Amino acid sequence: MTERPDAGLVTEPSPHELRDPAMRFELRRASVWLGLAAVMALVVILIQPILVILAGLVFASMLDGGVRLLGRYLRISRGWRLLIVVVLTVLFIGLTVYKTGAGIVVQFQQLQATLMVQFDRLSHWAAAQGIVPGTEDLKGLAQQAMGSVGKLTSWIGTALGAISTLFIIMVIGLFVAMEPKIYDRGLQWMVPTDQRAEFALTLERMAKQLRRLLAGRLAGMAFEGVLMWIALSIAGIPMALVLGIITGMLAFIPNIGAFISGVLMISVGFSAGIDKGLWAIVIYFVVQTFDGWVVIPLVAKKTVDLPPALTLSMQILFSALFGLLGLALADPLTAMIKVAMERNSERAMETAPTPARRGRQKAGGS
């Protein structure tokens, strides 16, 4: 007589076996929340690389905008147009560095020393007037409030890290601009099949909005930087060239960038004398007023109009969360989020029943 193989098996259920459907449902729901928490923690840990990738996508949008602009006038392939844009960009940066590189380095060093002297004077005057208990307290407050200025004026000491990050951003942007369709299809592949058409439409609108925003910002940066350089040179204010470059660069960040460039400009002006300082104040307010009332409205009609309060709020939030790079990317990210929310609202309106349809539904139901 042969022995049955399952004769000695235990038939009672294991305490670890989840036979209850409610328990299995709760376990699946808990796993979803745990996975979401893990993803959020991973994003927090990897936020700096993520911002670098997003900056690369913004740079790719700039290149793509230049390629599309050339496409209106040159009937050549996209690859040749991209090569022209890249060559022109490299030539512009190279010629700028070659012609003014040594002078800019010296002027940046002078600017840093001038700001330190001006701040020491301000701190001693404030302490003498009893505004603050001592100069050290004022220095501590200024270091917290002007962290971006400190990073900007001390870029020489951290040039290696900034250049390497900038190089990575440019490489990512160049690769994406070379074959945007590949990355577009890759993003669509990660979305469920029934939602890919809607996702593709939203992505296309985001890209268009981003190109328009960046085109307007680049035009405004060039105009404001050149105008500030010419005005400061005519007024005889020292370091006019470097102040014009800083003003143009910071014009990429509205509101906060204008405030920082104004502080730098007025500080340098007063370092050369009271009359130069007053001229710096006049030039700053005239240029910013002209830019705010004439240039920005004209550019906004052709590009994208973000509410000033929303822009400033997002800049403060992104700056506090992600630092200087987050501050620079606040406006592009806000524009893309705005497009996504507007498209979501359109979908809700498209799917919502019209009053006539609701009336027919009620009549049919009655």
Side-chain angles (χ1 to χ4, degrees):
M1 181 176 180
T2 59
E3 184 178 356
R4 295 177 56 187
D6 57 347
L9 294 180
V10 179
T11 58
E12 290 80 6
S14 169
H16 304 290
E17 185 177 0
L18 298 177
R19 297 194 174 205
D20 187 4
M23 182 64 69
R24 288 200 299 267
F25 173 76
E26 292 295 335
L27 181 61
R28 285 197 299 268
R29 189 165 63 174
S31 63
V32 170
W33 284 107
L34 289 175
L36 181 60
V39 170
M40 294 177 63
L42 190 62
V43 169
V44 171
I45 295 173
L46 302 177
I47 189 60
Q48 291 300 325
I50 291 174
L51 288 177
V52 172
I53 295 173
L54 291 176
L57 296 179
V58 171
F59 182 69
S61 181
M62 292 183 183
L63 295 178
D64 186 60
V67 171
R68 291 172 181 266
L69 181 62
L70 286 180
R72 298 181 179 179
Y73 308 100
L74 299 178
R75 299 302 178 181
I76 56 179
S77 64
R78 177 183 173 84
W80 287 107
R81 284 181 278 137
L82 178 61
L83 180 61
I84 293 174
V85 172
V86 172
V87 169
L88 290 178
T89 303
V90 172
L91 285 177
F92 173 76
I93 296 175
L95 288 176
T96 303
V97 173
Y98 175 74
K99 293 293 184 180
T100 61
I104 288 176
V105 171
V106 173
Q107 290 187 12
F108 264 111
Q109 293 174 345
Q110 294 176 356
L111 176 61
Q112 186 175 5
T114 300
L115 291 177
M116 292 298 296
V117 172
Q118 292 296 100
F119 179 74
D120 288 338
R121 291 179 180 176
L122 178 62
S123 60
H124 285 95
W125 176 83
Q129 298 296 324
I131 298 177
V132 294
T135 59
E136 295 299 328
D137 296 335
L138 188 59
K139 288 182 179 180
L141 292 175
Q143 288 177 356
Q144 295 178 0
M146 305 276 295
S148 299
V149 178
K151 292 179 182 178
L152 182 64
T153 56
S154 62
W155 69 275
I156 297 176
T158 59
L160 183 60
I163 291 175
S164 62
T165 302
L166 181 61
F167 178 76
I168 294 173
I169 291 173
M170 295 177 66
V171 169
I172 294 175
L174 181 60
F175 281 136
V176 174
M178 289 173 62
E179 294 289 344
K181 296 295 184 181
I182 294 179
Y183 303 97
D184 187 13
R185 289 195 298 267
L187 289 175
Q188 293 182 28
W189 175 76
M190 300 174 65
V191 177
T193 308
D194 57 341
Q195 300 179 9
R196 287 180 183 177
E198 181 64 32
F199 178 76
L201 178 60
T202 305
L203 199 63
E204 181 182 356
R205 290 190 179 183
M206 283 184 177
K208 183 178 179 180
Q209 194 86 325
L210 187 58
R211 287 194 301 268
R212 297 176 64 183
L213 173 67
L214 295 176
R217 289 294 161 82
L218 289 176
M221 288 168 61
F223 178 83
E224 189 171 344
V226 172
L227 184 61
M228 194 68 72
W229 171 42
I230 294 174
L232 294 176
S233 300
I234 294 175
I237 296 176
M239 295 173 278
L241 177 60
V242 70
L243 288 174
I245 293 175
I246 291 176
T247 301
M249 293 170 57
L250 292 178
F252 186 80
I253 311 172
N255 305 318
I256 297 178
F259 172 76
I260 296 175
S261 62
V263 171
L264 295 175
M265 187 189 313
I266 294 171
S267 300
V268 173
F270 277 106
S271 68
I274 302 222
D275 56 336
K276 303 295 183 185
L278 294 177
W279 271 113
I281 295 175
V282 172
I283 291 173
Y284 172 75
F285 281 103
V286 169
V287 172
Q288 291 298 329
T289 302
F290 181 75
D291 185 68
W293 287 92
V294 178
V295 178
I296 291 180
L298 291 176
V299 172
K301 290 181 180 179
K302 300 293 183 181
T303 58
V304 54
D305 190 12
L306 292 176
L310 174 63
T311 303
L312 182 59
S313 301
M314 295 302 292
Q315 289 172 2
I316 295 173
L317 179 62
F318 276 77
S319 176
L321 291 176
F322 310 126
L324 190 61
L325 188 57
L327 177 62
L329 295 176
D331 285 3
L333 294 179
T334 303
M336 290 190 290
I337 294 173
K338 181 172 176 284
V339 170
M341 296 179 67
E342 288 176 349
R343 179 54 192 164
N344 189 38
S345 177
E346 290 180 5
R347 290 182 60 190
M349 294 295 294
E350 291 172 357
T351 56
T354 60
R357 188 182 305 171
R358 285 197 299 265
R360 288 195 298 270
Q361 290 175 354
K362 290 181 179 179
S366 61

